[in-house]
Amino acid sequence: MKSLFDGKEIYSWCEDLFPICRSVAGPGNLATLKYLKNKAPDIEIKGFKSGEKVFDWEVPREWHIEEAWIKDQAGNEIVNFKNNNLHVMNYSDSVNEFITYDELIKHLYSIPSRPNAIPYVTSYYSRDWGFCIQESSKNLLKKDIKYHVYIDSEFIDGEMVFGEAFIQGESNKEILLSTYICHPSMANNELSGPVVTTALLKKITNESNHYSFRFLFLPETIGSIAYISSNLLQLQKNVIAGYVITCVGDNNIFSFLPSRAGQTISDRAARHLLRNDAKSFKEYKWIHRGSDERQFCAPGVDLPIASIMRSKYGEYDEYHTSDDDLDFISADGLAGSANLIYQTIKAIDKNCYPKVNFLCEPMLSKRGLYPEKSTADTQGIVQVMMDFISYSDGKRDLFEIADLIDQPIWNLYDLLYSLKDKEIIETNFL
């Protein structure tokens, strides 16, 4: 299926956003949202106050960091936050000390199996400080000297900001798309989700939609928990389908993580589009979850939210390291993901329960729907039409009918509208 999105443009957004140091709450998140809002003005920037109770959690204070480095006692620089914001453990406390190698090593994080990669490490809910370093650099540290460790950071009472856009459709029922904005400089695990979601928002905004669409740009975990805590009843009343959008920038095959229920319209739609468009994909089980579907599908919340990804988080070697950089993603990967997710949500938007208005087969020729001459080609078209009508009993939706007659759902759109226009069928929505 031809892509409807400009991958080069979406990739350029990643380039612009990559240097920003994001966290669960802080100025980097606000800067990211302001950038995205410039691309999609419907995004509203909102926030939850520091210290606000949200279910079993509490909204954290904002983390502001200005500078951080390690130098040896001769003043030689070992690492510097300005070179890569992954070098500092996210939410590190401030520190300004001369310490021994043995003390320093307790606060260093590296990956022996990836000696040239910087790991991504956080300490959101436990006050501590730390540096992340390549294993190759760590191995060069001298053990008989002291090191100057410096982190200029502070925690302030403020807001945990998030972005929200609501596009009203004919129905108040909603399709929900959520992504996260809390990781620092990583391309696939972080930036691919917000930029693809923004591209989808821009396109959906300019279209006529049956369902309404809600787009969320949240800090992962605590952001979705806070949002659900304030909007649970509305979400349960209106959301009929949705996806968490993450890890959609690389060129590898698609991955699918179902909702906890497993057979929602979100699950059925994703599987149908992946089978008929992507062809090759890997499906995971709910027990392999790891992003905000954990909150949206939690017991008592029970929203029909699944995930469509490329290389799934935790399943590729570059995950949560500096190797998840702009070279790991591509314009084609981003555009392909945007296109597949768009076709999936638009299929849900068009989905209905068609019901034939006649007993026995309707006479198609007098309505101009039966070809004047019967050939092998026209017989195939007529057969699809008659098969479609045969299953249009008002009990089966478009996805089920498409699967039963072995057609991709997008092949049925024009047929559906033609039969409805001729009053052969009526359509009912959720």
Side-chain angles (χ1 to χ4, degrees):
M1 188 181 294
K2 184 179 179 180
S3 180
L4 302 171
F5 295 86
D6 184 347
K8 291 182 179 178
E9 179 185 29
I10 301 174
Y11 185 89
S12 73
W13 302 346
C14 288
E15 291 178 309
D16 292 342
L17 291 167
F18 192 79
I20 297 175
C21 182
R22 286 164 289 271
S23 59
V24 291
N29 296 31
L30 182 59
T32 298
L33 289 172
K34 286 182 176 180
Y35 179 92
L36 296 175
K37 181 176 176 62
N38 183 259
K39 307 301 178 184
D42 286 294
I43 297 175
E44 295 183 43
I45 300 176
K46 304 178 180 180
F48 295 96
K49 295 293 184 183
S50 301
E52 183 177 342
K53 289 287 292 182
V54 289
F55 294 140
D56 197 39
W57 296 63
E58 183 177 296
V59 175
R61 303 172 80 191
E62 291 186 23
W63 182 57
H64 292 234
I65 180 168
E66 297 296 331
E67 188 178 1
W69 40 258
I70 304 174
K71 297 179 181 179
D72 65 21
Q73 62 187 31
N76 299 308
E77 188 174 272
I78 310 300
V79 298
N80 194 317
F81 169 77
K82 291 182 178 179
N83 295 332
N84 192 311
N85 55 44
L86 291 175
H87 270 312
V88 175
M89 180 176 71
N90 212 283
Y91 259 61
S92 279
D93 215 340
S94 60
V95 62
N96 184 10
E97 297 180 4
F98 282 88
I99 60 176
T100 65
Y101 170 87
D102 290 337
E103 293 170 317
L104 174 63
I105 208 71
K106 297 174 184 177
H107 295 273
L108 292 186
Y109 302 90
S110 62
I111 310 172
S113 62
R114 297 189 73 82
N116 296 316
I118 306 166
Y120 168 54
V121 181
T122 68
S123 184
Y124 295 139
Y125 303 104
S126 177
R127 295 292 291 269
D128 199 356
W129 63 269
F131 285 90
C132 302
I133 188 172
Q134 297 98 327
E135 178 74 8
S136 57
S137 297
K138 178 182 171 182
N139 290 336
L140 297 176
L141 294 176
K142 298 177 180 179
K143 299 182 179 181
D144 57 351
I145 64 173
K146 285 194 171 185
Y147 294 88
H148 189 182
V149 292
Y150 180 79
I151 299 176
D152 179 10
S153 66
E154 63 175 337
F155 298 89
I156 66 170
D157 289 324
E159 284 189 315
M160 180 179 69
V161 294
F162 69 96
E164 181 175 22
F166 180 77
I167 309 302
Q168 181 68 54
E170 296 173 13
S171 170
N172 289 329
K173 296 295 184 181
E174 301 176 11
I175 297 172
L176 173 70
L177 299 177
S178 180
T179 191
Y180 50 83
I181 52 153
C182 56
H183 291 55
S185 296
M186 288 176 288
N188 197 47
N189 179 230
E190 169 69 2
L191 290 176
S192 68
V195 296
V196 165
T197 303
T198 301
L200 291 167
L201 169 57
K202 288 184 65 177
K203 186 159 184 60
I204 291 294
T205 301
N206 296 316
E207 296 181 339
S208 296
N209 306 298
H210 175 74
Y211 292 114
S212 298
F213 282 82
R214 189 175 301 276
F215 295 80
L216 298 175
F217 301 80
L218 303 163
E220 195 175 22
T221 303
I222 183 61
S224 57
I225 290 172
Y227 187 84
I228 292 167
S229 73
S230 296
N231 299 278
L232 177 59
L233 295 182
Q234 174 194 298
L235 292 169
Q236 291 178 328
K237 177 182 178 182
N238 291 330
V239 173
I240 59 117
Y243 300 95
V244 173
I245 302 179
T246 178
C247 296
V248 286
D250 63 83
N251 287 326
N252 294 324
I253 65 169
F254 283 97
S255 302
F256 171 60
L257 182 87
S259 68
R260 186 168 66 93
Q263 291 297 328
T264 68
I265 187 65
S266 305
D267 302 305
R268 295 170 55 229
R271 291 186 180 107
H272 181 90
L273 268 291
L274 287 164
R275 282 197 306 269
N276 287 281
D277 188 20
K279 308 299 183 184
S280 177
F281 70 98
K282 182 173 182 179
E283 180 167 341
Y284 290 87
K285 297 180 179 179
W286 174 248
I287 58 174
H288 302 131
R289 66 196 179 279
S291 189
D292 279 338
E293 71 282 341
R294 303 177 349 255
Q295 317 309 331
F296 291 119
C297 297
V301 179
D302 299 315
L303 297 176
I305 306 299
S307 294
I308 298 173
M309 298 165 278
R310 292 281 193 170
S311 296
K312 178 182 174 292
Y313 44 77
E315 297 292 324
Y316 58 99
D317 292 339
E318 295 83 355
Y319 174 71
H320 272 196
T321 77
S322 58
D323 288 340
D324 187 353
D325 58 16
L326 292 169
D327 290 332
F328 185 70
I329 62 172
S330 72
D332 287 343
L334 292 163
S337 296
N339 198 63
L340 185 111
I341 296 170
Y342 170 78
Q343 299 295 349
T344 303
I345 59 180
K346 288 304 288 186
I348 296 173
D349 191 58
K350 296 174 185 291
N351 188 41
C352 61
Y353 291 78
K355 183 178 181 181
V356 67
N357 290 325
F358 300 88
L359 296 177
C360 298
E361 292 180 353
M363 188 174 183
L364 300 178
S365 57
K366 70 179 183 181
R367 294 176 174 84
L369 295 175
Y370 201 91
E372 294 181 0
K373 295 181 180 179
S374 179
T375 66
D377 290 338
T378 60
Q379 285 176 358
I381 295 171
V382 170
Q383 186 63 50
V384 171
M385 186 185 307
M386 297 310 299
D387 287 344
F388 182 88
I389 292 171
S390 179
Y391 281 117
S392 294
D393 55 8
K395 299 176 182 178
R396 295 177 170 88
D397 68 2
L398 213 55
F399 285 108
E400 183 176 356
I401 295 173
D403 288 339
L404 286 168
I405 66 177
D406 198 26
Q407 292 288 321
I409 194 169
W410 57 85
N411 280 2
L412 303 183
Y413 297 155
D414 289 343
L415 176 57
L416 173 72
Y417 302 142
S418 178
L419 293 172
K420 183 178 180 181
D421 183 60
K422 299 293 185 179
E423 298 183 344
I424 292 174
I425 64 168
E426 63 183 40
T427 55
N428 298 303
F429 290 84
L430 290 174

